[in-house]
Amino acid sequence: MVKNDVKLTNMTLVASVDPFKEIWKGWTHAGEGIAVKVLRVEERTDAKLLKGLSTEAKAWQKLSHPNVLPFHGLYCVDSDLPSLGLISLWMEKGNLTQFLQKEDVGRVPFILDIVEGLEYLHSFQPTILHGSLKCVSD
């Protein structure tokens, strides 16, 4: 599940989600754009944060649905204090808010897609709940 084909060169910090997470844009060796959600590690990082990231990765890797972003693995970030990141595809057209601002499209199909994705998540046992659903997702 840990990927080694992610280039560290040209990695760009895109957003600081909260005091504990950052979103980075990078590329695979094949040139595919990826997003890496990185858990910021400090010397006193709470074990709950690491367990939460692990739980998210384990659940996400089991999912396969057209309205759920595919999980591409874990990435070990090389730094003075190693950290883990969750890898997914980079969405070139941005998040939903950015896309809707640029494109003249109806919103109802997106609402239906979101509902279908949530229904899929909620069909798992135990149920998977998306903890931060918004147009700008992290």
Side-chain angles (χ1 to χ4, degrees), residues 39 41 76-84:
L39 179 65
V41 175
C76 185
V77 178
D78 296 324
S79 66
D80 293 338
L81 295 168
S83 184
L84 290 176

Side-chain angles (χ1 to χ4, degrees), residues 60-104:
W60 194 5
Q61 73 178 351
K62 296 175 185 175
L63 304 177
S64 178
H65 188 274
N67 298 326
V68 175
L69 190 64
F71 179 66
H72 282 265
L74 287 171
Y75 181 71
C76 185
V77 178
D78 296 324
S79 66
D80 293 338
L81 295 168
S83 184
L84 290 176
L86 301 175
I87 303 172
S88 64
L89 290 176
W90 180 259
M91 300 287 100
E92 286 299 330
K93 293 187 178 186
N95 59 48
L96 183 56
T97 299
Q98 293 166 331
F99 177 78
L100 291 174
Q101 288 172 347
K102 295 175 191 172
E103 304 291 331
D104 184 23

Side-chain angles (χ1 to χ4, degrees), residues 17-32:
V17 177
D18 60 32
F20 306 107
K21 291 179 274 197
E22 298 174 333
I23 305 294
W24 289 76
K25 180 180 180 181
W27 292 266
T28 64
H29 288 294
E32 181 179 44

